[in-house]
């Protein structure tokens, strides 16, 4: 430590759900040690976004030719802090004789509180489902209640398998009244084939 030295640092994604370069303001740089200086603090700045995603893993690696470090890399996590709710189709297409069509309503972020969410089921597009295509009258309104700790609810609707020959029809679910929770995906659509 009798001489000043400059070392390199780099951020790399690691693990099953690795962070990417786009998650950081900078992914590499240098640290300069004055003569006699033994430690330096390095601050890695992440970029904020509105994408709901899993926690991501990364590591910081330090290197310098001819310099031996007691530790050459450390690992960390970017913790997702985006909260939201969305609806998705369990399958994008169903046959009329399959009996049911299902939608999944999911929430991310903290789930310590219960949450009520309303939904509506209607036809959609140029060929929407008609009033009697489901055993439940269309349009149809309902609600789901997430218990504390619960993140997913499935809504299953029964299909009215009739003898009419029909073209493919679209069923849409739309969520609303989410108690202030940000909506990430408001609608989902399933195609019903005869």
């Amino acid at each position: 430590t009798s001489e000043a030295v400059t070392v390199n640092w780099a951020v790399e994604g690691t693990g099953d759900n690795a962070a990417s370069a786009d998650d950081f303001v900078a992914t590499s740089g240098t640290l300069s040690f004055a003569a006699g200086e033994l430690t330096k603090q390095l601050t890695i700045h992440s970029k904020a976004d509105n994408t709901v995603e899993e926690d991501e893993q990364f590591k910081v690696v330090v290197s310098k030719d001819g310099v031996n470090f007691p530790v050459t890399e450390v690992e960390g996590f970017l913790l997702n802090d985006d909260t939201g709710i969305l609806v998705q189709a369990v399958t994008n297409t169903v046959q009329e004789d399959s009996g049911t069509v299902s939608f999944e309503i999911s929430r991310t972020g903290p789930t310590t509180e219960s949450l009520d969410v309303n939904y509506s089921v209607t036809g959609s597009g140029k060929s929407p489902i008609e009033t009697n295509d489901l055993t439940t009258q269309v349009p149809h309104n309902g609600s789901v209640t997430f218990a504390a700790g619960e993140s997913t609810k499935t809504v299953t609707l029964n299909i009215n398998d009739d003898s009419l020959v029909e073209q493919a029809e679209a069923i849409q679910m739309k969520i609303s009244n989410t108690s202030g929770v940000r909506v990430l995906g408001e609608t989902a659509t399933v195609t019903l084939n005869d």
Side-chain angles (χ1 to χ4, degrees):
T1 62
S2 59
E3 297 181 2
V5 64
T6 298
V7 301
N8 303 310
W9 63 266
V11 178
E12 303 173 7
T14 188
D16 292 334
N17 196 42
S20 69
D22 292 338
D23 291 315
F24 302 95
V25 174
T27 56
S28 63
T30 59
L31 280 176
S32 296
F33 290 80
E37 194 173 21
L38 297 178
T39 62
K40 276 286 189 182
Q41 179 173 305
L42 173 63
T43 302
I44 307 295
H45 294 279
S46 62
K47 291 181 181 177
D49 61 33
N50 292 320
T51 304
V52 176
E53 53 200 342
E54 295 182 23
D55 296 340
E56 297 172 311
Q57 192 173 359
F58 68 94
K59 62 181 178 181
V60 180
V61 181
V62 293
S63 61
K64 173 69 175 179
D65 291 341
V67 176
N68 293 321
F69 298 96
V71 177
T72 58
E73 62 182 57
V74 292
E75 294 187 356
F77 286 88
L78 292 177
L79 303 181
N80 178 60
D81 59 358
D82 299 298
T83 300
I85 191 162
L86 71 159
V87 59
Q88 296 174 299
V90 174
T91 56
N92 293 325
T93 303
V94 296
Q95 297 300 124
E96 186 175 88
D97 61 4
S98 65
T100 61
V101 57
S102 296
F103 293 88
E104 189 174 85
I105 302 173
S106 304
R107 62 174 175 168
T108 61
T111 60
T112 54
E113 301 290 334
S114 61
L115 175 66
D116 295 323
V117 177
N118 293 342
Y119 65 82
S120 61
V121 179
T122 60
S124 175
K126 294 181 180 179
S127 182
I129 59 167
E130 299 176 352
T131 301
N132 297 319
D133 285 325
L134 302 177
T135 58
T136 300
Q137 189 82 3
V138 177
H140 167 68
N141 297 318
S143 65
V144 295
T145 298
F146 291 88
E150 195 172 24
S151 59
T152 302
K153 300 293 285 189
T154 300
V155 178
T156 299
L157 305 168
N158 293 315
I159 300 169
N160 183 21
D161 185 13
D162 56 35
S163 58
L164 299 175
V165 177
E166 304 168 290
Q167 61 182 337
E169 298 170 308
I171 308 168
Q172 183 182 83
M173 177 173 284
K174 180 178 181 179
I175 56 174
S176 61
N177 295 337
T178 58
S179 302
V181 177
R182 184 161 55 100
V183 176
L184 303 169
E186 185 179 44
T187 62
T189 302
V190 175
T191 299
L192 175 63
N193 289 327
D194 195 6

